[in-house]
mmCIF file of all heavy atoms in Angstrom:
data_model
loop_
_atom_site.group_PDB
_atom_site.id
_atom_site.type_symbol
_atom_site.label_atom_id
_atom_site.label_comp_id
_atom_site.label_asym_id
_atom_site.label_seq_id
_atom_site.Cartn_x
_atom_site.Cartn_y
_atom_site.Cartn_z
ATOM 1 N N GLY D 1 0.743 -1.203 0.029
ATOM 2 C CA GLY D 1 -0.009 0.029 -0.035
ATOM 3 C C GLY D 1 0.833 1.257 0.005
ATOM 4 O O GLY D 1 0.350 2.360 -0.370
ATOM 5 N N GLU D 2 2.081 1.178 0.411
ATOM 6 C CA GLU D 2 2.885 2.385 0.515
ATOM 7 C C GLU D 2 4.026 2.512 -0.532
ATOM 8 O O GLU D 2 4.546 3.574 -0.718
ATOM 9 C CB GLU D 2 3.565 2.340 1.901
ATOM 10 C CG GLU D 2 2.660 2.332 3.070
ATOM 11 C CD GLU D 2 3.416 2.135 4.411
ATOM 12 O OE1 GLU D 2 4.692 2.087 4.366
ATOM 13 O OE2 GLU D 2 2.772 2.117 5.421
ATOM 14 N N PHE D 3 4.189 1.419 -1.304
ATOM 15 C CA PHE D 3 5.289 1.401 -2.253
ATOM 16 C C PHE D 3 5.178 2.501 -3.301
ATOM 17 O O PHE D 3 6.147 3.223 -3.565
ATOM 18 C CB PHE D 3 5.287 0.061 -2.954
ATOM 19 C CG PHE D 3 6.545 -0.301 -3.625
ATOM 20 C CD1 PHE D 3 7.774 0.076 -3.080
ATOM 21 C CD2 PHE D 3 6.544 -0.954 -4.803
ATOM 22 C CE1 PHE D 3 8.967 -0.266 -3.781
ATOM 23 C CE2 PHE D 3 7.742 -1.266 -5.510
ATOM 24 C CZ PHE D 3 8.953 -0.888 -4.939
ATOM 25 N N ALA D 4 3.934 2.728 -3.921
ATOM 26 C CA ALA D 4 3.840 3.756 -4.951
ATOM 27 C C ALA D 4 4.020 5.065 -4.296
ATOM 28 O O ALA D 4 4.653 5.960 -4.925
ATOM 29 C CB ALA D 4 2.403 3.609 -5.520
ATOM 30 N N GLU D 5 3.546 5.263 -3.107
ATOM 31 C CA GLU D 5 3.641 6.596 -2.436
ATOM 32 C C GLU D 5 5.151 6.889 -2.175
ATOM 33 O O GLU D 5 5.611 8.025 -2.297
ATOM 34 C CB GLU D 5 2.870 6.565 -1.149
ATOM 35 C CG GLU D 5 2.691 8.024 -0.482
ATOM 36 C CD GLU D 5 1.694 8.809 -1.379
ATOM 37 O OE1 GLU D 5 0.933 8.285 -2.211
ATOM 38 O OE2 GLU D 5 1.722 10.048 -1.181
ATOM 39 N N MET D 6 5.993 5.877 -1.824
ATOM 40 C CA MET D 6 7.376 6.022 -1.568
ATOM 41 C C MET D 6 8.106 6.482 -2.850
ATOM 42 O O MET D 6 8.954 7.313 -2.809
ATOM 43 C CB MET D 6 7.959 4.745 -0.994
ATOM 44 C CG MET D 6 7.580 4.417 0.396
ATOM 45 S SD MET D 6 8.456 2.874 0.892
ATOM 46 C CE MET D 6 7.640 2.630 2.422
ATOM 47 N N ILE D 7 7.706 5.875 -3.930
ATOM 48 C CA ILE D 7 8.275 6.204 -5.191
ATOM 49 C C ILE D 7 8.036 7.639 -5.597
ATOM 50 O O ILE D 7 8.874 8.461 -5.957
ATOM 51 C CB ILE D 7 7.803 5.278 -6.303
ATOM 52 C CG1 ILE D 7 8.342 3.815 -6.066
ATOM 53 C CG2 ILE D 7 8.334 5.787 -7.734
ATOM 54 C CD1 ILE D 7 7.766 2.790 -7.055
ATOM 55 N N LYS D 8 6.734 8.003 -5.411
ATOM 56 C CA LYS D 8 6.290 9.357 -5.771
ATOM 57 C C LYS D 8 6.903 10.448 -4.902
ATOM 58 O O LYS D 8 7.383 11.481 -5.356
ATOM 59 C CB LYS D 8 4.734 9.442 -5.772
ATOM 60 C CG LYS D 8 4.188 10.789 -6.119
ATOM 61 C CD LYS D 8 2.659 10.802 -6.037
ATOM 62 C CE LYS D 8 2.057 12.121 -6.533
ATOM 63 N NZ LYS D 8 2.355 13.251 -5.650
ATOM 64 N N GLU D 9 6.759 10.300 -3.572
ATOM 65 C CA GLU D 9 7.114 11.386 -2.659
ATOM 66 C C GLU D 9 8.604 11.311 -2.223
ATOM 67 O O GLU D 9 9.064 12.328 -1.626
ATOM 68 C CB GLU D 9 6.211 11.281 -1.490
ATOM 69 C CG GLU D 9 4.755 11.417 -1.770
ATOM 70 C CD GLU D 9 4.340 12.764 -2.285
ATOM 71 O OE1 GLU D 9 5.163 13.716 -2.186
ATOM 72 O OE2 GLU D 9 3.274 12.955 -2.811
ATOM 73 N N ASN D 10 9.281 10.243 -2.460
ATOM 74 C CA ASN D 10 10.645 10.103 -1.925
ATOM 75 C C ASN D 10 11.695 9.829 -3.000
ATOM 76 O O ASN D 10 12.489 10.691 -3.272
ATOM 77 C CB ASN D 10 10.682 9.020 -0.885
ATOM 78 C CG ASN D 10 11.926 8.932 -0.109
ATOM 79 O OD1 ASN D 10 12.857 8.232 -0.428
ATOM 80 N ND2 ASN D 10 12.002 9.697 1.004
ATOM 81 N N LEU D 11 11.577 8.715 -3.679
ATOM 82 C CA LEU D 11 12.578 8.350 -4.679
ATOM 83 C C LEU D 11 12.543 9.362 -5.791
ATOM 84 O O LEU D 11 13.589 9.794 -6.269
ATOM 85 C CB LEU D 11 12.299 6.915 -5.161
ATOM 86 C CG LEU D 11 13.324 6.391 -6.114
ATOM 87 C CD1 LEU D 11 14.691 6.268 -5.524
ATOM 88 C CD2 LEU D 11 12.871 5.081 -6.754
ATOM 89 N N TRP D 12 11.368 9.634 -6.398
ATOM 90 C CA TRP D 12 11.254 10.501 -7.531
ATOM 91 C C TRP D 12 11.709 11.846 -7.244
ATOM 92 O O TRP D 12 12.316 12.556 -8.127
ATOM 93 C CB TRP D 12 9.784 10.445 -8.013
ATOM 94 C CG TRP D 12 9.500 11.489 -9.099
ATOM 95 C CD1 TRP D 12 8.753 12.564 -9.005
ATOM 96 C CD2 TRP D 12 9.922 11.419 -10.441
ATOM 97 N NE1 TRP D 12 8.612 13.211 -10.169
ATOM 98 C CE2 TRP D 12 9.336 12.561 -11.135
ATOM 99 C CE3 TRP D 12 10.703 10.572 -11.215
ATOM 100 C CZ2 TRP D 12 9.589 12.827 -12.443
ATOM 101 C CZ3 TRP D 12 10.973 10.811 -12.543
ATOM 102 C CH2 TRP D 12 10.412 11.923 -13.164
ATOM 103 N N VAL D 13 11.447 12.401 -6.072
ATOM 104 C CA VAL D 13 11.860 13.747 -5.715
ATOM 105 C C VAL D 13 13.287 13.999 -5.773
ATOM 106 O O VAL D 13 13.865 14.970 -6.301
ATOM 107 C CB VAL D 13 11.300 14.134 -4.337
ATOM 108 C CG1 VAL D 13 11.793 15.523 -3.928
ATOM 109 C CG2 VAL D 13 9.732 14.146 -4.355
ATOM 110 N N ASN D 14 14.064 13.024 -5.252
ATOM 111 C CA ASN D 14 15.570 13.166 -5.223
ATOM 112 C C ASN D 14 16.214 11.762 -5.270
ATOM 113 O O ASN D 14 16.675 11.282 -4.276
ATOM 114 C CB ASN D 14 16.059 13.925 -4.001
ATOM 115 C CG ASN D 14 17.587 14.291 -4.064
ATOM 116 O OD1 ASN D 14 18.191 13.847 -4.995
ATOM 117 N ND2 ASN D 14 18.013 14.932 -3.057
ATOM 118 N N PRO D 15 16.243 11.163 -6.471
ATOM 119 C CA PRO D 15 16.858 9.785 -6.595
ATOM 120 C C PRO D 15 18.354 9.808 -6.360
ATOM 121 O O PRO D 15 18.911 8.794 -5.910
ATOM 122 C CB PRO D 15 16.507 9.428 -8.090
ATOM 123 C CG PRO D 15 16.338 10.694 -8.793
ATOM 124 C CD PRO D 15 15.744 11.630 -7.782
ATOM 125 N N LEU D 16 18.966 10.955 -6.642
ATOM 126 C CA LEU D 16 20.412 11.004 -6.361
ATOM 127 C C LEU D 16 20.802 10.782 -4.935
ATOM 128 O O LEU D 16 21.843 10.188 -4.598
ATOM 129 C CB LEU D 16 20.974 12.369 -6.854
ATOM 130 C CG LEU D 16 22.472 12.575 -6.825
ATOM 131 C CD1 LEU D 16 23.174 11.513 -7.716
ATOM 132 C CD2 LEU D 16 22.826 13.889 -7.234
ATOM 133 N N LEU D 17 19.940 11.264 -4.051
ATOM 134 C CA LEU D 17 20.122 11.075 -2.625
ATOM 135 C C LEU D 17 20.335 9.613 -2.280
ATOM 136 O O LEU D 17 21.189 9.234 -1.525
ATOM 137 C CB LEU D 17 19.002 11.680 -1.875
ATOM 138 C CG LEU D 17 19.002 11.518 -0.284
ATOM 139 C CD1 LEU D 17 20.099 12.360 0.277
ATOM 140 C CD2 LEU D 17 17.650 11.988 0.276
ATOM 141 N N HIS D 18 19.473 8.766 -2.858
ATOM 142 C CA HIS D 18 19.489 7.306 -2.577
ATOM 143 C C HIS D 18 20.621 6.706 -3.356
ATOM 144 O O HIS D 18 21.262 5.710 -2.956
ATOM 145 C CB HIS D 18 18.186 6.722 -2.877
ATOM 146 C CG HIS D 18 17.046 7.288 -2.032
ATOM 147 N ND1 HIS D 18 16.963 7.023 -0.690
ATOM 148 C CD2 HIS D 18 16.097 8.144 -2.303
ATOM 149 C CE1 HIS D 18 15.894 7.683 -0.147
ATOM 150 N NE2 HIS D 18 15.398 8.376 -1.188
ATOM 151 N N PHE D 19 20.897 7.155 -4.650
ATOM 152 C CA PHE D 19 21.956 6.622 -5.417
ATOM 153 C C PHE D 19 23.289 6.724 -4.669
ATOM 154 O O PHE D 19 24.131 5.799 -4.760
ATOM 155 C CB PHE D 19 22.021 7.323 -6.779
ATOM 156 C CG PHE D 19 23.060 6.819 -7.711
ATOM 157 C CD1 PHE D 19 22.869 5.730 -8.519
ATOM 158 C CD2 PHE D 19 24.259 7.479 -7.745
ATOM 159 C CE1 PHE D 19 23.839 5.312 -9.399
ATOM 160 C CE2 PHE D 19 25.301 7.102 -8.612
ATOM 161 C CZ PHE D 19 25.067 5.944 -9.436
ATOM 162 N N ASN D 20 23.525 7.868 -4.011
ATOM 163 C CA ASN D 20 24.765 8.049 -3.323
ATOM 164 C C ASN D 20 24.747 7.557 -1.899
ATOM 165 O O ASN D 20 25.817 7.423 -1.230
ATOM 166 C CB ASN D 20 25.068 9.575 -3.192
ATOM 167 C CG ASN D 20 25.438 10.198 -4.548
ATOM 168 O OD1 ASN D 20 25.990 9.536 -5.317
ATOM 169 N ND2 ASN D 20 25.081 11.460 -4.710
ATOM 170 N N ASN D 21 23.559 7.063 -1.367
ATOM 171 C CA ASN D 21 23.432 6.730 0.003
ATOM 172 C C ASN D 21 24.438 5.723 0.523
ATOM 173 O O ASN D 21 25.365 6.045 1.298
ATOM 174 C CB ASN D 21 22.023 6.212 0.241
ATOM 175 C CG ASN D 21 21.712 6.039 1.716
ATOM 176 O OD1 ASN D 21 22.253 6.648 2.546
ATOM 177 N ND2 ASN D 21 20.719 5.188 2.015
ATOM 178 N N ASP D 22 24.393 4.451 0.112
ATOM 179 C CA ASP D 22 25.295 3.458 0.643
ATOM 180 C C ASP D 22 26.689 3.613 0.259
ATOM 181 O O ASP D 22 27.597 3.183 1.010
ATOM 182 C CB ASP D 22 24.756 2.049 0.224
ATOM 183 C CG ASP D 22 23.696 1.500 1.056
ATOM 184 O OD1 ASP D 22 23.253 2.196 1.939
ATOM 185 O OD2 ASP D 22 23.223 0.457 0.799
ATOM 186 N N ALA D 23 26.924 4.278 -0.850
ATOM 187 C CA ALA D 23 28.314 4.455 -1.262
ATOM 188 C C ALA D 23 29.079 5.262 -0.308
ATOM 189 O O ALA D 23 30.197 4.966 0.086
ATOM 190 C CB ALA D 23 28.285 5.214 -2.662
ATOM 191 N N ASP D 24 28.397 6.367 0.241
ATOM 192 C CA ASP D 24 29.046 7.166 1.206
ATOM 193 C C ASP D 24 29.262 6.393 2.531
ATOM 194 O O ASP D 24 30.320 6.452 3.142
ATOM 195 C CB ASP D 24 28.222 8.409 1.527
ATOM 196 C CG ASP D 24 28.206 9.348 0.355
ATOM 197 O OD1 ASP D 24 29.098 9.254 -0.503
ATOM 198 O OD2 ASP D 24 27.227 10.153 0.298
ATOM 199 N N GLU D 25 28.266 5.611 2.904
ATOM 200 C CA GLU D 25 28.336 4.883 4.160
ATOM 201 C C GLU D 25 29.449 3.852 4.098
ATOM 202 O O GLU D 25 30.133 3.599 5.036
ATOM 203 C CB GLU D 25 27.000 4.235 4.470
ATOM 204 C CG GLU D 25 25.919 5.200 4.862
ATOM 205 C CD GLU D 25 24.607 4.547 5.203
ATOM 206 O OE1 GLU D 25 24.611 3.248 5.138
ATOM 207 O OE2 GLU D 25 23.600 5.254 5.453
ATOM 208 N N GLU D 26 29.602 3.211 2.932
ATOM 209 C CA GLU D 26 30.611 2.207 2.727
ATOM 210 C C GLU D 26 32.002 2.794 2.888
ATOM 211 O O GLU D 26 32.923 2.225 3.425
ATOM 212 C CB GLU D 26 30.436 1.450 1.381
ATOM 213 C CG GLU D 26 29.248 0.575 1.356
ATOM 214 C CD GLU D 26 28.961 0.073 -0.086
ATOM 215 O OE1 GLU D 26 29.769 0.431 -0.997
ATOM 216 O OE2 GLU D 26 28.005 -0.635 -0.325
ATOM 217 N N ASP D 27 32.138 4.022 2.318
ATOM 218 C CA ASP D 27 33.471 4.704 2.389
ATOM 219 C C ASP D 27 33.777 4.960 3.933
ATOM 220 O O ASP D 27 34.912 4.650 4.401
ATOM 221 C CB ASP D 27 33.429 6.005 1.655
ATOM 222 C CG ASP D 27 33.321 5.789 0.143
ATOM 223 O OD1 ASP D 27 33.711 4.716 -0.276
ATOM 224 O OD2 ASP D 27 33.015 6.797 -0.542
ATOM 225 N N PHE D 28 32.790 5.465 4.655
ATOM 226 C CA PHE D 28 33.068 5.734 6.070
ATOM 227 C C PHE D 28 33.367 4.442 6.765
ATOM 228 O O PHE D 28 34.181 4.348 7.718
ATOM 229 C CB PHE D 28 31.854 6.419 6.684
ATOM 230 C CG PHE D 28 31.634 7.838 6.219
ATOM 231 C CD1 PHE D 28 30.433 8.290 5.734
ATOM 232 C CD2 PHE D 28 32.776 8.690 6.275
ATOM 233 C CE1 PHE D 28 30.300 9.608 5.349
ATOM 234 C CE2 PHE D 28 32.582 9.933 5.821
ATOM 235 C CZ PHE D 28 31.382 10.413 5.409
ATOM 236 N N GLY D 29 32.601 3.367 6.409
ATOM 237 C CA GLY D 29 32.797 2.096 7.101
ATOM 238 C C GLY D 29 34.183 1.528 6.856
ATOM 239 O O GLY D 29 34.818 0.976 7.756
ATOM 240 N N ASP D 30 34.732 1.718 5.623
ATOM 241 C CA ASP D 30 36.108 1.196 5.365
ATOM 242 C C ASP D 30 37.117 1.928 6.172
ATOM 243 O O ASP D 30 38.073 1.343 6.665
ATOM 244 C CB ASP D 30 36.393 1.411 3.820
ATOM 245 C CG ASP D 30 35.546 0.516 2.990
ATOM 246 O OD1 ASP D 30 35.018 -0.469 3.573
ATOM 247 O OD2 ASP D 30 35.414 0.734 1.777
ATOM 248 N N GLU D 31 36.919 3.319 6.295
ATOM 249 C CA GLU D 31 37.838 4.119 7.148
ATOM 250 C C GLU D 31 37.836 3.644 8.580
ATOM 251 O O GLU D 31 38.877 3.481 9.171
ATOM 252 C CB GLU D 31 37.463 5.559 7.010
ATOM 253 C CG GLU D 31 37.693 6.135 5.602
ATOM 254 C CD GLU D 31 37.211 7.581 5.510
ATOM 255 O OE1 GLU D 31 36.787 8.121 6.591
ATOM 256 O OE2 GLU D 31 37.321 8.175 4.505
ATOM 257 N N ASP D 32 36.643 3.344 9.112
ATOM 258 C CA ASP D 32 36.508 2.856 10.480
ATOM 259 C C ASP D 32 37.198 1.558 10.704
ATOM 260 O O ASP D 32 37.878 1.350 11.698
ATOM 261 C CB ASP D 32 35.044 2.811 10.863
ATOM 262 C CG ASP D 32 34.358 4.116 10.965
ATOM 263 O OD1 ASP D 32 35.046 5.127 11.055
ATOM 264 O OD2 ASP D 32 33.059 4.163 10.886
ATOM 265 N N ASP D 33 37.046 0.626 9.684
ATOM 266 C CA ASP D 33 37.671 -0.583 9.798
ATOM 267 C C ASP D 33 39.193 -0.525 9.768
ATOM 268 O O ASP D 33 39.899 -1.276 10.564
ATOM 269 C CB ASP D 33 37.276 -1.516 8.569
ATOM 270 C CG ASP D 33 35.800 -1.899 8.632
ATOM 271 O OD1 ASP D 33 35.184 -1.769 9.749
ATOM 272 O OD2 ASP D 33 35.212 -2.318 7.549
ATOM 273 N N GLU D 34 39.720 0.415 8.946
ATOM 274 C CA GLU D 34 41.176 0.597 8.862
ATOM 275 C C GLU D 34 41.725 1.111 10.236
ATOM 276 O O GLU D 34 42.699 0.726 10.736
ATOM 277 C CB GLU D 34 41.516 1.524 7.750
ATOM 278 C CG GLU D 34 41.297 0.961 6.373
ATOM 279 C CD GLU D 34 41.545 1.969 5.305
ATOM 280 O OE1 GLU D 34 41.864 3.132 5.615
ATOM 281 O OE2 GLU D 34 41.398 1.676 4.103
ATOM 282 N N GLU D 35 40.903 2.078 10.858
ATOM 283 C CA GLU D 35 41.346 2.594 12.119
ATOM 284 C C GLU D 35 41.271 1.506 13.182
ATOM 285 O O GLU D 35 42.213 1.422 14.020
ATOM 286 C CB GLU D 35 40.390 3.736 12.538
ATOM 287 C CG GLU D 35 40.549 4.915 11.659
ATOM 288 C CD GLU D 35 39.540 6.059 12.079
ATOM 289 O OE1 GLU D 35 38.783 5.846 13.034
ATOM 290 O OE2 GLU D 35 39.570 7.162 11.439
ATOM 291 N N ASP D 36 40.277 0.647 13.176
ATOM 292 C CA ASP D 36 40.177 -0.422 14.150
ATOM 293 C C ASP D 36 41.315 -1.390 14.028
ATOM 294 O O ASP D 36 41.920 -1.844 14.995
ATOM 295 C CB ASP D 36 38.834 -1.230 13.968
ATOM 296 C CG ASP D 36 37.628 -0.341 14.333
ATOM 297 O OD1 ASP D 36 37.874 0.646 15.046
ATOM 298 O OD2 ASP D 36 36.572 -0.659 13.958
ATOM 299 N N ILE D 37 41.695 -1.714 12.758
ATOM 300 C CA ILE D 37 42.806 -2.619 12.528
ATOM 301 C C ILE D 37 44.132 -2.035 13.060
ATOM 302 O O ILE D 37 44.885 -2.697 13.707
ATOM 303 C CB ILE D 37 42.929 -2.875 10.982
ATOM 304 C CG1 ILE D 37 41.710 -3.701 10.492
ATOM 305 C CG2 ILE D 37 44.266 -3.685 10.708
ATOM 306 C CD1 ILE D 37 41.671 -3.947 8.976
ATOM 307 N N GLY D 38 44.279 -0.737 12.810
ATOM 308 C CA GLY D 38 45.524 -0.144 13.208
ATOM 309 C C GLY D 38 45.576 -0.043 14.828
ATOM 310 O O GLY D 38 46.609 -0.278 15.390
ATOM 311 N N THR D 39 44.446 0.114 15.459
ATOM 312 C CA THR D 39 44.382 0.148 16.839
ATOM 313 C C THR D 39 44.705 -1.201 17.431
ATOM 314 O O THR D 39 45.452 -1.330 18.401
ATOM 315 C CB THR D 39 42.987 0.631 17.344
ATOM 316 O OG1 THR D 39 42.692 1.875 16.723
ATOM 317 C CG2 THR D 39 42.944 0.689 18.821
ATOM 318 N N ASP D 40 44.150 -2.217 16.805
ATOM 319 C CA ASP D 40 44.371 -3.609 17.294
ATOM 320 C C ASP D 40 45.832 -3.986 17.264
ATOM 321 O O ASP D 40 46.399 -4.566 18.156
ATOM 322 C CB ASP D 40 43.563 -4.606 16.509
ATOM 323 C CG ASP D 40 42.039 -4.470 16.718
ATOM 324 O OD1 ASP D 40 41.712 -3.819 17.830
ATOM 325 O OD2 ASP D 40 41.265 -4.915 15.908
ATOM 326 N N ASP D 41 46.445 -3.553 16.037
ATOM 327 C CA ASP D 41 47.931 -3.887 15.957
ATOM 328 C C ASP D 41 48.749 -3.163 16.941
ATOM 329 O O ASP D 41 49.682 -3.781 17.556
ATOM 330 C CB ASP D 41 48.327 -3.455 14.496
ATOM 331 C CG ASP D 41 47.732 -4.301 13.404
ATOM 332 O OD1 ASP D 41 47.237 -5.382 13.758
ATOM 333 O OD2 ASP D 41 47.716 -3.908 12.208
ATOM 334 N N SER D 42 48.514 -1.947 17.222
ATOM 335 C CA SER D 42 49.246 -1.155 18.197
ATOM 336 C C SER D 42 49.085 -1.741 19.620
ATOM 337 O O SER D 42 50.059 -1.807 20.372
ATOM 338 C CB SER D 42 48.838 0.314 18.157
ATOM 339 O OG SER D 42 47.479 0.470 18.555
ATOM 340 N N GLU D 43 47.850 -2.175 19.909
ATOM 341 C CA GLU D 43 47.655 -2.736 21.248
ATOM 342 C C GLU D 43 48.400 -4.015 21.390
ATOM 343 O O GLU D 43 48.975 -4.350 22.452
ATOM 344 C CB GLU D 43 46.129 -3.003 21.408
ATOM 345 C CG GLU D 43 45.351 -1.712 21.600
ATOM 346 C CD GLU D 43 43.860 -2.001 21.758
ATOM 347 O OE1 GLU D 43 43.436 -3.189 21.525
ATOM 348 O OE2 GLU D 43 43.119 -1.046 22.004
ATOM 349 N N GLU D 44 48.491 -4.900 20.311
ATOM 350 C CA GLU D 44 49.174 -6.165 20.438
ATOM 351 C C GLU D 44 50.695 -5.872 20.625
ATOM 352 O O GLU D 44 51.388 -6.581 21.330
ATOM 353 C CB GLU D 44 48.953 -6.938 19.032
ATOM 354 C CG GLU D 44 47.581 -7.491 18.968
ATOM 355 C CD GLU D 44 47.360 -8.241 17.646
ATOM 356 O OE1 GLU D 44 48.355 -8.292 16.907
ATOM 357 O OE2 GLU D 44 46.267 -8.637 17.457
ATOM 358 N N ASP D 45 51.190 -4.850 19.943
ATOM 359 C CA ASP D 45 52.670 -4.526 20.083
ATOM 360 C C ASP D 45 52.888 -4.048 21.511
ATOM 361 O O ASP D 45 53.954 -4.482 22.117
ATOM 362 C CB ASP D 45 53.045 -3.337 19.152
ATOM 363 C CG ASP D 45 52.915 -3.771 17.641
ATOM 364 O OD1 ASP D 45 52.984 -5.032 17.436
ATOM 365 O OD2 ASP D 45 52.831 -2.884 16.773
#
């Protein structure tokens, strides 16, 4: 019942917002992972 309304009021209004969505989150996630890895290595040393 809500799918059409989501397309009309959300996706259609600014599809670029969703196109970029996970891409940005993945970039931040990768950076966090690298920081965690670096922290773990330093703690082991």
Side-chain angles (χ1 to χ4, degrees):
E2 300 174 1
F3 196 39
E5 195 70 16
M6 288 180 186
I7 294 175
K8 178 181 185 292
E9 301 294 345
N10 190 268
L11 182 67
W12 171 249
V13 173
N14 189 356
L16 186 60
L17 177 68
H18 300 288
F19 180 84
N20 288 331
N21 189 23
D22 277 1
D24 293 339
E25 291 181 2
E26 287 171 4
D27 291 342
F28 289 131
D30 292 341
E31 292 175 3
D32 291 341
D33 291 342
E34 290 175 0
E35 290 178 1
D36 291 342
I37 292 173
T39 302
D40 292 342
D41 290 343
S42 62
E43 288 177 352
E44 289 177 2
D45 292 340

